[in-house]
């Protein structure tokens, strides 16, 4: 799978409000994906920090890209569980979501997502996800 294939998945299978996040797939591999959430003032909460809801939605969406890459293409799937820990605010910077599929079974997939402000080495958030593979 290429980043262009992954971008096509974003366009074809996700709701318009997810597409409005402007996610861009920078890299895909055997069991990972690197996705960029561009900074937008419309996603900032009171005080100027990127809202957690946007980061959680981006992590959830980026996980679909990583699982699709690991499986060699998109199949229907759904979120079973997502746990997100916010470690510090993100202000005025894109966020890079590095997704690693840690287990890929026939009916379940598990992943870890690190959310890091662009140009910074310290994560701002971390998510663990579980997906049911439906197809």
């Amino acid at each position: 799978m290429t980043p262009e294939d992954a971008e096509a998945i974003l366009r074809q299978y996700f709701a318009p409000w997810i597409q409005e996040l402007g996610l861009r797939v920078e890299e895909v591999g055997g069991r990972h994906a690197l996705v960029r959430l561009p900074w937008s003032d419309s996603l900032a909460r009171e005080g100027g920090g990127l809202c957690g809801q946007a980061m959680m939605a981006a992590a959830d969406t980026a996980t679909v890209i990583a699982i699709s890459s690991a499986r060699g293409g998109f199949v229907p799937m759904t979120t079973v569980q997502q746990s997100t820990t916010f470690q510090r605010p993100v202000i005025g910077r894109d966020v890079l979501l590095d997704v690693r599929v840690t287990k890929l079974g026939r009916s379940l997939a598990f992943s870890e997502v690190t959310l890091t402000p662009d140009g910074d080495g310290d994560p701002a958030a971390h998510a663990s996800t579980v997906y049911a593979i439906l197809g």
Side-chain angles (χ1 to χ4, degrees):
M1 176 180 280
T2 67
E4 293 77 20
D5 296 330
E7 294 273 349
I9 290 170
L10 286 174
R11 287 189 305 274
Q12 186 171 357
Y13 295 104
F14 287 92
W17 72 271
I18 290 291
Q19 293 180 30
E20 289 174 14
L21 292 174
L23 298 172
R24 295 192 309 260
V25 179
E26 305 224 335
E27 181 182 311
V28 289
R31 285 184 172 232
H32 82 278
L34 183 65
V35 176
R36 179 180 296 270
L37 171 60
W39 172 262
S40 171
D41 288 337
S42 68
L43 299 177
R45 59 176 171 69
E46 182 71 28
L50 183 62
C51 73
Q53 296 92 331
M55 288 190 279
M56 290 176 72
D60 191 51
T61 305
T63 299
V64 172
I65 298 303
I67 294 170
S68 296
S69 180
R71 292 186 54 92
F74 179 83
V75 296
M77 63 185 89
T78 190
T79 311
V80 173
Q81 184 271 335
Q82 178 174 332
S83 175
T84 307
T85 304
F86 299 97
Q87 300 167 355
R88 62 192 181 96
V90 176
I91 300 173
R93 296 165 84 181
D94 292 359
V95 174
L96 296 173
L97 297 99
D98 184 4
V99 186
R100 303 290 168 164
V101 177
T102 58
K103 178 163 177 41
L104 181 63
R106 283 180 291 186
S107 61
L108 290 175
F110 299 79
S111 77
E112 299 293 326
V113 186
T114 304
L115 297 87
T116 307
D118 191 20
D120 197 334
D122 294 326
H126 178 267
S128 296
T129 65
V130 180
Y131 267 73
I133 309 298
L134 306 174

